[in-house]
Amino acid sequence: MKRKISKTYEPQKYENKIYKFWEKSGFFNPDNLKLPKNSKPYTIILPPPNITDKLHLGHSSVLAIEDLLIRFHRMKGYRTLWLPGTDHAAIATQNAVEKKLLKEKDITRHQLGKTEFLKEVWKFLRQTRTIILKQTKRMGASLDWSRIAFTLDDQRKKAVKKMFCDMYKEGIIYQGERIVNWCPRCHSTLADDELEYQKQKTKLYTFKYSPDFPITIATTRPETKLGDTAVAVNPKDKRYKKFIGKSYKVNFLNIPLKIKIITDRQVDMNFGTGALGVTPAHSLTDWKMAEENKLNIVKVINEDGKVKTGFGEFSGNSISQARKRIVSKLKKQKLLKKEEDISHNIALCYRCGTTIETLPSKQWFVAVDKKIKRLSNKSLKEKALELAEKKEIKFIPTRFTKRYLDWINNLHDWCISRQIWFGHKIPVWYKDKKIYVGENPPKGRGWTQDPDTLDTWFSSGMWTFSTLGWPDNFKNKKKFGDLARFHPTQVLETGSDILTLWVSRMIIMTVFALQEIPFENVYLNGLVLDKFGKKMSKSKGNGIDPIDMANFFGADAVRLSLLIGSTPGNDLRVSEENIKSSRNFVTKLWNIYRYGVTTYPHFKLEEKISPKNIKTLSDCWILSRLNSVIDEVTNNLKNYKFSLAGEKLQNFTWNELADWYLEIEKIEKNDYVLGYVLDKILKLWHPFMPFATEHIWQSFYAGKKILMVEKWPQTSNKLIDKKAEKEFQNLRNIIVKIRNLRTSYKIAPQNIIKAFGEKTNNQKIIEKLSRIKINAWPKVRKKGIKISEKNLKLTLDIANFVNIEKERVRLMKEISNWKKIIKKNETLLANKDFLKNAPKDIITQNKKHLKEYKEKLKVQKELLKNLNF
Ligand SMILES: [Zn+2]
């Protein structure tokens, strides 16, 4: 009995059901996989998405790549764990909720108060978290939901507290007054790589502090000069030699300053006056000079972005007010020598775009240069460099190794305290001048906890091991449970834009806690862009919603579009048309399956094949090709060449299996080989398009076997038959030649061309696929077009379908036209003026065209020659 199968595959009907079926099977959890005890682990910890927004195409791309790796390794027999989670994203979430409140209720967080505001944050998180997890499932991600984690849940809170205390005990975490990047709007410190730079026009002022001061200096920020404690000059600068080492009491617009003249080799003698006013409190370089020269540090700008008290009439002024006032006073007192327009790089807050102030602040820091016992007297920085240099951690593509090393080399102490409300609390308590650091609050009354929270990267830096049960699973330097089974992980796959922000911090934190690497490989992907190469954004309206697309074209189609064409480290362009054509490919696979089950009543998938079932040349050929493709796909997947793997498989499925083998199968009828090939390509395609492949698989096995945990196909060398491949190529060539000829002379498919020639192998295939009928040579040689391929020679009689004389005239006309065009092109390309003056790409284009025209002329000449019988 023939089975009824719908003409097209309707993903909407099946995808959710299939996901539930997988979940119910329990095989997302590695503990349930039926594997030998010594099976190797394969672990990926999902980069936790910020739950400030719904899933976008960039997330889907991460999910598609990781699920591909996970499904591939699960089928290869690894104890495969893919652990999900979400990120509380402290500052990002707080800002999102602040904006929401302002928009919906016209209320600021300060008006609402800390307790109420945090309630709002949690309410927001519960909603967004539910949405994003549902969307993650919708993409087919085979994550072990039984191990889900959140960067701010109880287990992670415990881990963060323990880490902070351990680092404090080891002297790695310290509190100090240091220069930080400060956003006056967010009212918080920011890490160096949380700054964005923008070129802005500003003025460079050249002036003297007072009439009696001997040196003129230049600055773009006169308001900070109220805090100058030195003037630095280059030690080689003869102009200033006599002043070096002297100190001056200066009256700068009625503010008393004490200025020492110091030297610094980094001062550029040719910039401005060659003398630099040193403001230790508001510049990192000046801060370092102050440390070396034991200068006073005078803070001018406070955390609100205003001039502090103690600066006379300027106190309480905003930065721009103070600047205006100082410049006008300098002018009046004839101290201003010059005012020039320059463009200058300004640091902005990456969250809100406010200009960043550099100022000293009492904060918590992680020391990166301090040598520590547990790292055999190396510093965190040294260890982080060593791991990449010794290739214990590999970066894919390798060019990112340099970026990582450069960044680590320039790393200075990491400020981890943030003045925001939402996040991990700092486990530090104060009472009078006493300080207590501990995982639990101190006993006794009167202690108050540090009001700050920790930098969000502090907790996400611990992500690979805090999710696997650290610190509970780590006693006396030994790992237990999940931590022993699954750490270090095999791959971290994430966006190249957070290589420094996140990846490097994970390495530092893991090295400290476990003295091992967090992951063996770091695969960095680029951005997902629109079809014009523009960044997708809500405001531009060029975004593609992956869930809408999945609901319309199927999640498999979305995944396929994100995998084929994607190469590590490079941006990927995706459009709705891409996804649509991926959907068409899924349909192609469906049609191959549909052909099998609608043609043969007992059609089934064959796991093995025996020689007696291999009957014809095309059987040998398709089996040989299949086994080469298994090898290529496996190797490319192993080497992170996902796109290449997909392209090879697509080419095999569409251009070889569907276009050739299936057409020949209709003549030769061998459902056994077809069942075998289909079994293998369902397995090979599964990591790319899990839904359609599992659905087809289940139509044969009805739950008795699950494709997701089937064994990955292995190449059978016995079936590789290069001789058959060559022979089949000849067969294919002759058919293609005849088909091309039919197209050239416009002979309709229903017209069977009479041909003459010797009896040949595969005659039936040639006849059917090229719509000809081969006859034995007649006594009188017939006129016709000669076609040959290796030993096979055929003469095609097309006189019935083509007016030979008319065709000859048409072709002669064409040939003369092409000759004219070619001549014109050749003349142009011989013209020296043209070659000298025309843009390079125009010349290349012309050369390319000339080549194409010559090719066309050759074809037409061949066609005309063929008519000369
Ligand atoms: Zn800000």
Side-chain angles (χ1 to χ4, degrees):
M1 191 190 73
K2 283 187 186 176
R3 279 168 275 190
K4 270 204 175 153
I5 307 285
S6 70
K7 274 202 168 159
T8 48
Y9 171 63
E10 294 159 283
Q12 307 78 1
K13 275 195 190 165
Y14 313 116
E15 289 186 338
N16 284 330
K17 262 191 232 161
I18 294 166
Y19 196 85
K20 285 206 182 94
F21 168 75
W22 287 328
E23 274 195 295
K24 230 180 110 195
S25 79
F27 293 131
F28 289 172
N29 181 341
D31 302 336
N32 298 330
L33 293 171
K34 293 172 186 84
L35 293 169
K37 264 205 164 146
N38 57 354
S39 302
K40 274 198 202 162
Y42 185 87
T43 316
I44 298 179
I45 313 285
L46 177 75
N50 287 358
I51 38 183
T52 45
D53 202 357
K54 54 185 185 168
L55 205 78
H56 58 66
L57 216 49
H59 291 126
S60 310
S61 155
V62 167
L63 292 174
I65 291 173
E66 290 183 20
D67 197 39
L68 173 81
L69 282 169
I70 286 293
R71 286 181 188 268
F72 171 59
H73 285 91
R74 196 185 282 123
M75 292 174 83
K76 294 271 290 175
Y78 287 81
R79 194 171 299 285
T80 308
L81 169 64
W82 189 20
L83 197 149
T86 45
D87 195 346
H88 73 286
I91 193 166
T93 306
Q94 173 158 326
N95 281 354
V97 176
E98 271 187 76
K99 268 188 203 157
K100 195 171 167 255
L101 284 174
L102 210 57
K103 198 176 147 199
E104 289 170 9
K105 295 180 184 168
D106 195 26
I107 190 167
T108 68
R109 78 180 149 111
H110 294 284
Q111 286 169 322
L112 200 61
K114 188 166 171 176
T115 317
E116 285 306 306
F117 178 75
L118 288 178
K119 270 190 204 160
E120 289 289 332
V121 172
W122 283 104
K123 208 168 87 191
F124 172 78
L125 281 188
R126 271 191 295 275
Q127 289 165 357
T128 48
R129 190 173 131 98
T130 315
I131 295 170
I132 209 155
L133 293 181
K134 205 176 141 204
Q135 292 180 323
T136 303
K137 292 183 178 187
R138 184 67 191 85
M139 295 311 299
S142 57
L143 288 151
D144 180 5
W145 297 106
S146 72
R147 284 177 164 88
I148 189 166
F150 176 51
T151 54
L152 194 57
D153 59 15
D154 288 342
Q155 186 61 34
R156 263 43 66 177
K157 278 183 190 164
K158 189 174 168 185
V160 162
K161 278 190 264 181
K162 168 95 170 114
M163 187 79 173
F164 189 98
C165 294
D166 284 0
M167 286 183 135
Y168 181 77
K169 265 183 227 150
E170 192 102 30
I172 284 280
I173 282 184
Y174 67 93
Q175 191 179 34
E177 174 103 349
R178 286 189 62 92
I179 282 266
V180 294
N181 306 306
W182 182 268
C183 173
R185 197 215 69 94
C186 295
H187 241 249
S188 182
T189 51
L190 288 172
D192 287 348
D193 36 21
E194 287 172 330
L195 308 182
E196 268 171 13
Y197 290 90
Q198 203 180 65
K199 265 226 148 83
Q200 281 183 10
K201 275 198 182 142
T202 183
K203 285 188 192 302
L204 182 71
Y205 304 96
T206 306
F207 72 101
K208 268 187 178 183
Y209 296 114
S210 66
D212 52 351
F213 189 73
I215 300 172
T216 307
I217 58 166
T219 184
T220 54
R221 300 206 54 188
E223 69 281 4
T224 62
K225 300 287 110 183
L226 298 167
D228 280 11
T229 51
V231 164
V233 297
N234 193 298
K236 286 182 188 159
D237 199 329
K238 285 179 189 149
R239 292 174 289 177
Y240 302 119
K241 206 155 197 175
K242 55 185 169 188
F243 305 118
I244 294 168
K246 287 187 178 164
S247 283
Y248 295 84
K249 279 191 177 159
V250 177
N251 177 2
F252 177 40
L253 308 177
N254 291 330
I255 308 297
L257 307 181
K258 210 181 137 209
I259 303 283
K260 193 178 173 189
I261 314 299
I262 59 166
T263 57
D264 193 287
R265 255 177 284 160
Q266 295 202 33
V267 176
D268 182 355
M269 282 162 41
N270 300 317
F271 182 76
T273 60
L276 201 79
V278 180
T279 324
H282 299 291
S283 143
L284 188 62
T285 28
D286 293 11
W287 175 275
K288 284 180 187 156
M289 282 189 217
E291 273 184 341
E292 280 164 26
N293 293 282
K294 298 194 173 60
L295 301 174
N296 277 342
I297 291 157
V298 178
K299 183 167 166 180
V300 182
I301 310 293
N302 69 12
E303 280 79 350
D304 294 323
K306 289 190 171 145
V307 178
K308 271 179 68 183
T309 47
F311 292 97
E313 57 172 315
F314 306 110
S315 290
N317 278 191
S318 72
I319 287 162
S320 61
Q321 283 168 339
R323 187 177 301 179
K324 246 189 211 161
R325 187 170 276 184
I326 287 174
V327 171
S328 100
K329 293 212 147 192
L330 286 172
K331 268 186 197 160
K332 256 188 216 156
Q333 301 191 15
K334 300 218 160 52
L335 289 168
L336 190 70
K337 309 285 173 203
K338 228 193 310 183
E339 195 177 331
E340 302 160 78
D341 287 322
I342 60 163
S343 73
H344 197 64
N345 255 337
I346 308 268
L348 306 175
C349 168
Y350 84 129
R351 290 291 175 203
C352 72
T354 305
T355 305
I356 291 299
E357 287 302 321
T358 310
L359 47 81
S361 177
K362 200 173 180 187
Q363 301 291 338
W364 289 97
F365 293 88
V366 169
V368 292
D369 290 308
K370 190 179 155 87
K371 300 190 187 292
I372 42 176
K373 228 167 72 196
R374 62 167 77 192
L375 298 179
S376 18
N377 252 339
K378 282 188 179 135
S379 69
L380 287 175
K381 190 194 254 184
E382 286 166 333
K383 201 71 198 167
L385 288 171
E386 184 186 295
L387 292 173
E389 277 161 357
K390 286 190 176 165
K391 296 210 163 61
E392 280 183 55
I393 298 174
K394 289 189 216 72
F395 293 87
I396 306 151
T398 48
R399 67 172 191 269
F400 283 99
T401 315
K402 192 181 174 295
R403 199 149 120 198
Y404 167 81
L405 291 174
D406 285 349
W407 191 80
I408 295 280
N409 262 318
N410 290 317
L411 194 64
H412 42 83
D413 288 3
W414 168 24
C415 173
I416 50 168
S417 42
R418 293 288 183 272
Q419 291 63 48
I420 59 170
W421 291 348
F422 182 60
H424 282 277
K425 284 186 179 163
I426 294 181
V428 175
W429 286 261
Y430 307 97
K431 184 163 129 185
D432 307 322
K433 287 200 170 159
K434 278 185 283 182
I435 174 167
Y436 173 85
V437 178
E439 288 168 61
N440 298 304
K443 292 200 175 86
R445 288 178 173 205
W447 291 93
T448 43
Q449 190 165 8
D450 194 303
D452 291 352
T453 52
L454 286 168
D455 180 9
T456 181
W457 303 108
F458 191 87
S459 49
S460 52
M462 302 168 62
W463 192 235
T464 61
F465 57 92
S466 71
T467 51
L468 292 173
W470 188 90
D472 300 340
N473 281 341
F474 194 69
K475 293 271 138 50
N476 302 322
K477 293 186 178 176
K478 266 202 175 135
K479 300 187 281 179
F480 300 94
D482 272 4
L483 194 62
R485 293 167 71 208
F486 299 111
H487 203 276
T489 66
Q490 274 56 56
V491 184
L492 174 78
E493 189 263 335
T494 191
S496 58
D497 52 335
I498 52 173
L499 171 68
T500 52
L501 278 170
W502 189 38
V503 179
S504 46
R505 268 162 195 147
M506 290 173 99
I507 295 172
I508 285 175
M509 301 293 262
T510 315
V511 157
F512 182 83
L514 298 169
Q515 291 90 60
E516 70 178 23
I517 51 170
F519 28 69
E520 294 163 0
N521 300 288
V522 181
Y523 179 98
L524 295 154
N525 52 265
L527 294 170
V528 179
L529 305 174
D530 75 0
K531 62 177 163 186
F532 303 109
K534 294 251 161 63
K535 222 172 159 173
M536 291 187 185
S537 82
K538 257 191 231 158
S539 54
K540 276 190 240 150
N542 64 342
I544 293 180
D545 184 333
I547 302 303
D548 286 352
M549 289 293 119
N551 289 339
F552 199 73
F553 296 113
D556 285 336
V558 178
R559 292 169 61 120
L560 217 49
S561 308
L562 291 165
L563 291 170
I564 294 186
S566 145
T567 48
N570 297 323
D571 296 342
L572 171 71
R573 293 182 185 193
V574 176
S575 65
E576 198 175 319
E577 292 90 86
N578 291 141
I579 299 171
K580 196 173 157 192
S581 74
S582 295
R583 192 269 320 267
N584 295 347
F585 181 75
V586 179
T587 307
K588 195 79 194 174
L589 187 69
W590 178 257
N591 286 339
I592 296 170
Y593 151 73
R594 189 171 173 272
Y595 166 80
V597 289
T598 51
T599 311
Y600 302 100
H602 303 293
F603 184 76
K604 59 185 183 14
L605 298 175
E606 304 293 347
E607 211 184 324
K608 293 199 176 90
I609 192 140
S610 72
K612 72 172 192 327
N613 294 105
I614 308 169
K615 289 171 181 157
T616 65
L617 172 68
S618 30
D619 290 344
C620 292
W621 165 73
I622 198 73
L623 292 170
S624 178
R625 284 294 304 132
L626 171 70
N627 279 282
S628 299
V629 166
I630 291 175
D631 201 38
E632 288 167 350
V633 171
T634 310
N635 281 327
N636 281 319
L637 289 183
K638 269 190 201 161
N639 293 316
Y640 302 94
K641 293 178 179 166
F642 315 127
S643 184
L644 205 57
E647 285 160 35
K648 298 249 178 207
L649 199 49
Q650 201 165 36
N651 177 52
F652 173 77
T653 310
W654 197 310
N655 302 334
E656 301 189 310
L657 179 62
D659 283 357
W660 287 94
Y661 186 76
L662 226 56
E663 291 309 305
I664 294 172
E665 206 279 342
K666 286 174 188 166
I667 302 158
E668 295 181 340
K669 303 280 177 199
N670 190 350
D671 59 323
Y672 208 95
V673 171
L674 185 62
Y676 177 80
V677 177
L678 187 59
D679 176 272
K680 298 297 169 280
I681 63 167
L682 286 177
K683 288 169 182 167
L684 295 173
W685 273 121
H686 182 71
F688 291 87
M689 40 165 140
F691 288 112
T693 48
E694 187 76 74
H695 175 68
I696 294 173
W697 185 266
Q698 290 311 330
S699 79
F700 294 104
Y701 293 108
K704 286 189 199 88
K705 281 167 100 180
I706 302 175
L707 180 57
M708 181 174 73
V709 289
E710 276 293 306
K711 273 208 180 95
W712 185 255
Q714 278 200 321
T715 301
S716 160
N717 286 323
K718 272 190 299 190
L719 291 173
I720 295 193
D721 183 346
K722 291 289 167 194
K723 205 180 134 218
E725 283 191 33
K726 228 180 195 165
E727 218 177 303
F728 189 85
Q729 189 58 43
N730 295 340
L731 175 65
R732 210 155 100 161
N733 286 349
I734 190 102
I735 295 167
V736 170
K737 276 185 186 172
I738 300 170
R739 282 177 178 174
N740 287 347
L741 185 127
R742 298 185 69 109
T743 323
S744 305
Y745 295 117
K746 300 182 176 65
I747 302 170
Q750 66 269 24
N751 296 327
I752 308 277
I753 301 173
K754 212 176 195 186
F756 304 99
E758 307 281 335
K759 249 191 177 310
T760 172
N761 293 336
N762 300 303
Q763 180 158 326
K764 215 166 161 192
I765 293 171
I766 299 172
E767 286 181 336
K768 288 247 176 182
L769 296 191
S770 52
R771 319 276 304 148
I772 63 172
K773 176 82 191 131
I774 301 176
N775 301 284
W777 288 109
K779 276 177 194 146
V780 184
R781 283 253 152 167
K782 273 275 198 180
K783 283 181 180 177
I785 293 178
K786 291 188 179 67
I787 281 201
S788 67
E789 176 69 29
K790 302 285 159 191
N791 297 327
L792 181 62
K793 290 188 175 63
L794 292 173
T795 298
L796 304 186
D797 178 6
I798 61 164
N800 286 338
F801 311 115
V802 179
N803 182 328
I804 306 282
E805 268 326 299
K806 249 180 156 172
E807 187 63 14
R808 190 174 280 144
V809 173
R810 183 185 75 85
L811 284 170
M812 272 156 48
K813 232 186 204 163
E814 286 247 351
I815 288 169
S816 112
N817 268 341
W818 282 119
K819 278 183 176 164
K820 272 185 213 154
I821 291 171
I822 287 169
K823 184 130 192 243
K824 211 170 129 194
N825 216 288
E826 279 175 335
T827 321
L828 185 67
L829 282 170
N831 185 329
K832 277 180 192 156
D833 283 342
F834 172 75
L835 291 176
K836 215 170 86 188
N837 301 323
K840 254 199 180 138
D841 50 327
I842 297 281
I843 298 175
T844 333
Q845 211 177 38
N846 268 289
K847 282 185 181 163
K848 203 178 126 212
H849 283 162
L850 182 64
K851 221 172 146 191
E852 286 164 11
Y853 301 154
K854 284 185 172 168
E855 204 47 52
K856 278 187 178 148
L857 178 67
K858 204 178 129 195
V859 172
Q860 304 293 329
K861 276 184 169 172
E862 183 75 22
L863 287 172
L864 182 67
K865 202 182 114 201
N866 281 336
L867 286 182
N868 284 328
F869 41 76

